Amino acid sequence: DTGVSQNPRHKITKRGQNVTFRCDPISEHNRLYWYRQTLGQGPEFLTYFQNEAQLEKSRLLSDRFSAERPKGSFSTLEIQRTEQGDSAMYLCASSLLGGANTGELFFGEGSRLTVL
Amino acid sequence: GEDVEQSLFLSVREGDSSVINCTYTDSSSTYLYWYKQEPGAGLQLLTYIFSNMDMKQDQRLTVLLNKKDKHLSLRIADTQTGDSAIYFCAERPKNYGQNFVFGPGTRLSVLP
């Protein structure tokens, strides 16, 4: 399988706990994105990496959120001290910069977070 | 700010054509995209159009772009029950770096 892989697919946690999601992008893709999607909404941009460098962060990304991509391959998104408002689907996507491609995003199936 | 707008619901009969509309905000967007999301799944790229094109056809899909009005549409010919899903329009404005901006999605229901 050469698609974008995310885990866990579902996470239920109590308010105040920390959670971490992992994303494995398509292997040759140098860009990796995190989006958040709530019910009835389109994906909202959180952050993106080019290789291991985090190049852009949304103002939606509070101090409780941190993302890493230490070796330019997989990425983790950690949410500390979760709040009920953090309940959402967290989507990872990857893309390939350069060449004749259009830079389209390839999405994983998402990690659904429920904060009780 | 940036807002991509779509109508939220569309219902059609099997075999009819579906037309999903989108209004985007940034005329600098080089590419405009249509993504499809089925229940419990991630988004899947359906098609895209380059900003210097007016129309693109890809099998049952036709994309029309009106740059003057910043209006994008997706037509699905001979709609099938398997086309039932949420369809998202997306742009990538130059002023927003590499950030893709998505609309809220149009839920297409195909009735037998």
Side-chain angles (χ1 to χ4, degrees):
Chain A
D1 184 12
T2 58
V4 178
S5 175
Q6 292 187 245
N7 66 82
R9 293 291 311 279
H10 299 95
K11 179 73 177 177
I12 301 173
T13 191
K14 291 184 179 179
R15 186 165 50 96
Q17 298 295 303
N18 299 343
V19 297
T20 299
F21 300 114
R22 175 177 168 130
C23 172
D24 288 273
I26 293 171
S27 59
E28 64 268 26
H29 283 184
N30 47 17
R31 286 197 166 164
L32 186 148
Y33 297 74
W34 285 100
Y35 280 81
R36 180 171 67 189
Q37 186 180 22
T38 52
L39 198 62
Q41 300 294 320
E44 294 176 300
F45 171 77
L46 293 179
T47 189
Y48 96 96
F49 294 83
Q50 182 165 311
N51 301 314
E52 64 276 7
Q54 188 173 18
L55 296 188
E56 192 175 340
K57 289 195 287 187
S58 165
R59 57 185 179 275
L60 292 176
L61 210 65
S62 79
D63 292 344
R64 298 182 298 104
F65 287 69
S66 62
E68 294 182 343
R69 194 184 183 198
K71 296 181 182 176
S73 56
F74 74 92
S75 175
T76 57
L77 176 68
E78 182 184 17
I79 309 173
Q80 296 182 321
R81 304 181 304 280
T82 51
E83 301 173 356
Q84 287 181 324
D86 297 332
S87 295
M89 177 76 87
Y90 290 86
L91 296 168
C92 177
S94 68
S95 73
L96 181 63
L97 172 68
N101 69 82
T102 65
E104 70 260 27
L105 301 179
F106 293 80
F107 281 86
E109 294 188 326
S111 293
R112 181 172 295 283
L113 173 64
T114 301
V115 182
L116 302 176
Chain B
E2 72 288 1
D3 268 327
V4 176
E5 296 183 347
Q6 300 177 240
S7 52
L8 298 183
F9 300 98
L10 177 65
S11 184
V12 300
R13 293 222 170 266
E14 192 173 14
D16 288 349
S17 293
S18 309
V19 180
I20 302 171
N21 294 300
C22 168
T23 303
Y24 63 98
T25 56
D26 197 317
S27 56
S28 74
S29 295
T30 307
Y31 290 98
L32 295 145
Y33 306 84
W34 284 103
Y35 280 83
K36 176 183 180 182
Q37 186 177 35
E38 296 182 5
L43 280 73
Q44 174 192 4
L45 179 70
L46 268 184
T47 188
Y48 64 89
I49 188 167
F50 190 49
S51 59
N52 69 353
M53 299 168 66
D54 296 324
M55 185 182 85
K56 179 180 179 183
Q57 187 145 5
D58 183 359
Q59 299 183 344
R60 291 191 297 123
L61 305 177
T62 303
V63 179
L64 295 178
L65 175 59
N66 181 330
K67 283 194 70 175
K68 175 177 171 290
D69 295 337
K70 298 194 188 78
H71 184 264
L72 184 71
S73 68
L74 174 69
R75 178 176 180 268
I76 305 172
D78 187 25
T79 314
Q80 302 297 307
T81 53
D83 295 324
S84 294
I86 303 176
Y87 291 81
F88 293 95
C89 168
E91 62 172 342
R92 192 172 71 182
K94 284 187 178 177
N95 292 337
Y96 287 87
Q98 298 306 317
N99 179 10
F100 286 65
V101 180
F102 287 83
T106 299
R107 182 178 293 276
L108 174 64
S109 298
V110 182
L111 307 174

